[in-house]
Structure formats: structure tokens, C-alpha cells
Amino acid sequence: MKKRVAVFAREPRPGHVKTRLASQIGVDRALDCYIETLEIAIEAASNHRFELWYEGHPCPSWIERCLSLKQQSDGDLGARMFAAFSDGVDLVIGSDIPLITSHYVDQAADLLSTADVVLGPTEDGGYCLIGMRQPLPALFQGIPWSSSQVLTQTLAKAHREHIRVELLPHLWDIDDETDYHRWNSIRASGELQKSRTI
């Protein structure tokens, strides 16, 4: 069954996205990186009824492609994700995960048939995907977003609330120059293309 998948994105404007990466490799290269990983996220969600939930202003190319566009709500990341789930979204994914695939998103959708929550952990201690059968505000309150404790504290809250959680394999996001070179190395080796078929 197809799910509503929200791809969270920011307006792709120079100096507005991947600011830490931009300080290391330059604004233009960081913007190109962001746009490419956003396209990867959109492709990964394409088996489902995906929507682009944006922060800032919508890019003209998004409108031209007739994507379903929604403005993110105010507040921190937790408040914005909870607003998406309250609107009826089933899955939320980030836009800077180079190895996310449609198979990964499909796995999450399938796991929602038995789990209350599905999480796609990232190596830095956060998560790149969250799915819910119904909105659960407790998992978005009091979480130190952008820290290495996001996943740990989310799981602890779920345990206290007796919420059934399934975890997907770990992925990683592009935050800094090391991540950027890691991605380029994988692409140069041909492993990135192989991962798209798994």
C-alpha cells in the first residue's frame, strides 16, 4: 500500500543550505551537493505518494515538476515533523542522505504494518527517516535536535511510552567535508550505482 511520504527540504539558495559544508568546500559546491541529494531523496520516495515539505520559498523547478508542495510549519524540527504527521503523512525523510533508496523507503512502509514507529538511524546518532502509524507527540518533545543523542533519546521515550519501534539499517548524511569526500569516493568506485539496485 502506498504511503504519504514527506521529503523535508530547504529552499536551495546559496548560503542557505549545508552551511557547515559550504564553509569547507565553497558555497556553490555545497549547493550542488544539496540539490543532488535532494533529488536522490525524491527518487527514493517516488514509489509512494510523496510530497515536498519545504522551508523558505518553493523553487520554480519544483512547481514545474508538479510535485505536491507544502510549507513546513514554524518551530523546531520536532514541531515541524509532528505537524506533518498530524496532517496525515506516514513517513518523513531528510534530503541529505546520499545512499537512501526506494527499497529503503519501501522497507519502512512495510514495517509500519506491525510497528508503531520506524526509524532509519544515521551514523551521527540521529535518524534520516521516521514513520508512524499515528502522530505520537512524545517522540518530538524535549529532543536535542542536531545532537548525537537524537536517536538514543527518541528510543528511550518510545520505551517509556510502550511504543513498538523497528529500526532500519544505518545510513549517513553529508554534514562536512569528510562526508562529502566519502560520497565522492563511493561514486568514483561505482559502488553508489550498485547500491541503487539493492
Side-chain angles (χ1 to χ4, degrees):
M1 181 179 175
K2 291 186 181 296
K3 303 293 187 182
R4 277 183 67 190
V5 180
V7 178
F8 265 34
R10 303 186 74 182
E11 177 187 354
R13 178 162 45 90
H16 185 63
V17 295
K18 310 308 296 177
T19 52
R20 181 163 55 150
L21 181 63
S23 70
Q24 298 169 332
I25 67 171
V27 170
D28 291 339
R29 289 169 72 193
L31 177 61
D32 288 343
C33 173
Y34 180 78
I35 291 171
E36 188 165 351
T37 55
L38 174 56
E39 290 291 336
I40 289 170
I42 291 171
E43 180 183 345
S46 62
N47 286 345
H48 298 272
R49 294 179 290 131
F50 75 95
E51 305 165 358
L52 201 59
W53 286 62
Y54 64 89
E55 179 185 353
H57 299 282
C59 176
S61 65
W62 297 344
I63 299 171
E64 291 168 5
R65 291 173 60 184
C66 299
L67 296 177
S68 177
L69 298 174
K70 288 183 177 286
Q71 179 93 44
Q72 291 183 33
S73 67
D74 295 329
D76 64 13
L77 178 59
R80 288 182 276 128
M81 288 194 291
F82 181 67
F85 284 112
S86 297
D87 191 69
V89 162
D90 300 298
L91 294 158
V92 172
I93 65 175
S95 54
D96 58 356
I97 311 297
L99 299 188
I100 195 166
T101 63
S102 58
H103 177 68
Y104 194 85
V105 177
D106 290 346
Q107 278 185 290
D110 289 343
L111 286 170
L112 280 179
S113 64
T114 55
D116 298 316
V117 173
V118 177
L119 293 169
T122 51
E123 293 178 0
D124 61 5
Y127 56 79
C128 61
L129 175 153
I130 179 169
M132 291 185 167
R133 297 176 73 177
Q134 62 182 13
L136 297 167
L139 299 193
F140 300 109
Q141 297 168 353
I143 301 294
W145 304 108
S146 299
S147 80
S148 61
Q149 297 301 307
V150 171
L151 180 66
T152 299
Q153 293 201 16
T154 300
L155 291 173
K157 284 177 174 285
H159 179 73
R160 287 196 297 269
E161 298 288 331
H162 305 289
I163 295 168
R164 294 168 299 171
V165 179
E166 288 282 355
L167 296 177
L168 293 164
H170 279 73
L171 295 179
W172 50 276
D173 49 7
I174 299 179
D175 285 327
D176 57 26
E177 187 173 11
T178 299
D179 301 324
Y180 179 75
H181 290 311
R182 178 182 182 182
W183 180 39
N184 281 335
S185 177
I186 291 172
R187 288 197 293 180
S189 71
E191 289 300 313
L192 185 63
Q193 187 60 39
K194 292 179 185 177
S195 73
R196 293 275 167 256
T197 65
I198 298 173

